[in-house]
Amino acid sequence: MTTASQSSLHPETAPPRKLPDMKTLYLIRHAQSAANAGGTSLPDREIPLSAAGARQAAELVCRLPANRRVFVSEMRRTHETAAPYCARHGIRPEILPCLNEFSYLPFAAVQGLDAADRKPLAEAYWQRADPHFRAGGGADTFTKFDGRVSDFLHHAWPILPHGSLLFGHGIWITLLAWRLSGNRAESGVDMAAFRAFQSSLHIANASVWRLDRTEAATESLRCLPENAAEF
């Protein structure tokens, strides 16, 4: 696997920059992980791809444009999804922490559990609908997660190179879509509404999403079909 480097963009600390009139980025949800396949819980950053996910990652190589800058979250599954592409083109992926997954259940609470056992804990978290609630050590609050998407919108997006490939997570792409639609993610009501929205928007493993800013300064996010020729 090609070793990832820490990105020099530092979007969490850089001053906001005006978005360019036109830019396209590609967001790729990681391929199927062991957790997606129902496996026993691991620390979130250590979850690998499943065997099916490894095949999906290999298939992405032919779907993506060649020789682009590659950014990944801090989670192993995004590194493994990007690895075949990076190996093909001799690219070193860069870590962009604002792409990180929403890790709202602490590992101590889910250790040894499979997907079915984790489900009621996840449902209880969302039913609480408290954006400032932290379920345990090492877990995110919804507010912190929304802050990462805000960092992307206001700091990273303006300075990422046109055409970059960003390997990330399904719920992150969903929250981005929610925010681009003009919705907030600040209150308990917002959080509950987002959860309903998330349930209606399917972000498949290894799906590719095109994020555009047009000359009219409007943004659009759409899923590309597997045979897309829009790069």
Side-chain angles (χ1 to χ4, degrees):
M1 181 190 306
T2 305
T3 302
S5 63
Q6 188 73 29
S7 174
S8 61
L9 294 171
H10 299 300
E12 289 84 354
T13 57
R17 300 190 187 184
K18 182 180 181 296
L19 283 169
D21 290 337
M22 295 185 67
K23 180 182 283 189
T24 296
L25 301 174
Y26 298 97
L27 311 177
I28 302 102
R29 186 190 176 191
H30 63 80
Q32 186 191 73
S33 69
N36 298 146
T40 302
S41 297
L42 293 169
D44 202 12
R45 295 190 180 206
E46 299 174 16
I47 298 171
L49 296 185
S50 66
R55 291 191 294 271
Q56 290 174 338
E59 291 166 358
L60 274 170
V61 174
C62 296
R63 293 178 54 200
L64 298 172
N67 298 311
R68 301 297 177 92
R69 289 275 292 277
V70 171
F71 297 87
V72 294
S73 78
E74 294 179 310
M75 278 60 181
R76 175 179 172 180
R77 52 199 180 274
T78 65
H79 295 220
E80 292 186 352
T81 304
Y85 176 90
C86 291
R88 169 72 65 87
H89 299 290
I91 293 169
R92 189 179 186 189
E94 301 169 68
I95 296 173
L96 198 59
C98 66
L99 297 177
N100 280 358
E101 174 70 286
F102 182 27
S103 302
Y104 58 88
L105 294 178
F107 179 60
V110 298
Q111 187 172 5
L113 302 184
D114 62 16
D117 293 330
R118 291 190 298 266
K119 186 175 180 180
L121 298 177
E123 290 177 346
Y125 174 85
W126 287 103
Q127 288 171 3
R128 188 183 186 106
D130 180 353
H132 303 291
F133 173 67
R134 188 185 305 277
D140 277 334
T141 66
F142 186 70
T143 297
K144 183 177 179 181
F145 175 49
D146 180 56
R148 290 201 290 275
V149 176
S150 292
D151 284 336
F152 171 79
L153 287 169
H154 299 298
H155 299 291
W157 190 2
I159 57 177
L160 284 166
H162 174 75
S164 293
L165 307 180
L166 282 60
F167 290 79
H169 304 272
I171 194 170
W172 191 99
I173 296 172
T174 305
L175 185 55
L176 178 65
W178 176 256
R179 293 286 305 276
L180 291 176
S181 297
N183 298 300
R184 294 180 177 272
E186 300 171 357
S187 69
V189 172
D190 296 336
M191 185 175 173
F194 168 74
R195 180 61 168 175
F197 175 76
Q198 181 198 4
S199 300
S200 69
L201 182 62
H202 178 58
I203 310 288
N205 288 116
S207 57
V208 180
W209 295 71
R210 177 170 170 153
L211 176 61
D212 290 301
R213 181 177 173 87
T214 69
E215 289 181 328
T218 58
E219 297 88 25
S220 67
L221 177 66
R222 57 195 174 90
C223 186
L224 298 181
E226 291 191 10
N227 60 351
E230 304 181 35
F231 298 106

